[in-house]
Amino acid sequence: MGEVWEDASNKISYSERRRYFQGGELDSVMNYPLRDAIFGFLNGGTAEHFAESMECIRENYPRDVFYNLMNVVGTHDTARALTLLGVTENEWKMDRNGRAHYQLPPDRLEIALRRLRMAAVIQFTMPGSPTIYYGDEAGQQGFEDPFNRQTYPWGHENQELLAFYRKLCEIRAEEQTLADGDLQFSDTTAGALLRYERTSGDSRLVIAVNRGHQYVETKIDALYALDLLSGEGFAYADPDGLIVSVPPETAYILRCVNAAD
């Protein structure tokens, strides 16, 4: 598993083009392009740009590599995900002492927590192996190294966030489709709504992530859909079909039942 931050299929390092995926070096790499795409989308980018970024990686990587990528949102080399999703540009300009002791104010902490949940849903539902940097699942904050390496917050975990990550782990373990199912993007022109499907045999999951501040409706070709995160169900309502209204700053993992099932 290689620590490569860029597209590893055409990386040039020390003036030499690397051949990581030619059978003699790496089985897979850290999925920093996914991390970049997640932060780009949640910080105002479009779903279309996210999909294009991932399709580029999928086109360039062998399938076995693409499905075994190390899906990261935070690492020991980056600022904490929660901090990145809540700080302002001016706060990045604080002196070293200020960054060492900084904690997000309550209002922006809540915004960052909602964004982190969306980021985690994408991390756990894209092809690859979701990998958590210790403490991210408990609400750990921190700027760049060494402020991102504080000890795990024993006894001070964000219990709601921790429960959310545990639920994601359960879903990932139970849904084989998330491990090896096909990937297809849809509705990417909606901008604030990222939607894609994972399918395998008769299993079909639709992931819908609304990073915007308004409800967004998406139509699904199915009779019924169950959100695996909340347990909420959505039924076909003729003549409009199955319409799911995704709340602001919310992600759904929908198990769909088709007409033939």
Side-chain angles (χ1 to χ4, degrees):
M1 178 68 69
E3 182 181 5
V4 182
W5 288 56
E6 310 86 1
D7 182 338
S9 69
N10 53 42
K11 177 179 173 63
I12 296 177
S13 177
Y14 299 101
S15 301
E16 179 182 348
R17 182 174 295 279
R18 303 297 171 171
R19 301 182 180 276
Y20 293 134
F21 303 145
Q22 302 302 310
E25 294 186 41
L26 301 178
D27 296 305
S28 194
V29 293
M30 299 175 74
N31 200 356
Y32 275 102
L34 172 62
R35 176 184 179 274
D36 294 342
I38 289 174
F39 281 107
F41 172 65
L42 294 180
N43 285 322
T46 66
E48 184 175 16
H49 185 265
F50 179 96
E52 287 176 352
S53 299
M54 292 300 96
E55 291 291 24
C56 182
I57 293 296
R58 174 159 63 167
E59 181 177 344
N60 290 348
Y61 286 14
R63 178 182 172 86
D64 287 345
V65 172
F66 186 71
Y67 275 79
N68 287 282
L69 288 167
M70 183 177 174
N71 289 352
V72 295
V73 169
T75 74
H76 65 277
D77 286 321
T78 65
R80 287 282 177 176
L82 194 59
T83 298
L84 286 172
L85 293 169
V87 297
T88 65
E89 184 175 346
N90 285 334
E91 286 166 337
W92 272 107
K93 300 176 183 178
M94 292 186 297
D95 60 25
R96 184 176 177 84
N97 186 62
R99 295 198 307 277
H101 300 94
Y102 179 83
Q103 293 286 298
L104 291 168
D107 58 337
R108 279 191 281 119
L109 175 59
E110 287 304 312
I111 293 173
L113 285 168
R114 291 194 294 270
R115 290 174 175 173
L116 182 58
R117 292 187 186 98
M118 291 186 285
V121 169
I122 299 172
Q123 176 189 19
F124 273 71
T125 57
M126 284 289 292
S129 300
T131 308
I132 303 169
Y133 182 44
Y134 79 94
D136 281 355
E137 77 282 16
Q140 187 78 297
Q141 300 183 45
F143 277 90
E144 77 283 1
D145 189 359
F147 312 127
N148 59 353
R149 300 192 187 218
Q150 299 180 53
T151 57
Y152 184 87
W154 297 110
H156 301 282
E157 300 96 330
N158 182 314
Q159 293 297 332
E160 289 186 6
L161 183 63
L162 197 57
F164 184 82
Y165 268 89
R166 284 172 174 159
K167 183 64 176 178
L168 278 177
C169 289
E170 292 174 3
I171 293 171
R172 176 74 190 204
E174 294 170 358
E175 300 293 333
Q176 183 63 28
T177 301
L178 291 177
D180 55 21
D182 292 335
L183 169 69
Q184 181 177 358
F185 289 97
S186 58
D187 277 5
T188 58
T189 56
L193 178 69
L194 172 64
R195 175 181 153 180
Y196 51 93
E197 300 188 12
R198 301 295 308 277
T199 57
S200 177
D202 295 332
S203 175
R204 179 185 177 210
L205 299 175
V206 173
I207 295 86
V209 183
N210 177 14
R211 64 147 176 82
H213 302 293
Q214 306 291 332
Y215 278 80
V216 178
E217 290 188 343
T218 184
K219 185 175 181 179
I220 299 176
D221 182 18
L223 290 179
Y224 181 79
L226 174 70
D227 177 33
L228 299 180
L229 287 167
S230 66
E232 183 178 4
F234 303 89
Y236 186 98
D238 189 74
D240 295 324
L242 176 54
I243 305 294
V244 175
S245 185
V246 186
E249 297 179 303
T250 299
Y252 284 155
I253 303 175
L254 301 166
R255 180 188 289 141
C256 298
V257 177
N258 300 325
D261 294 343

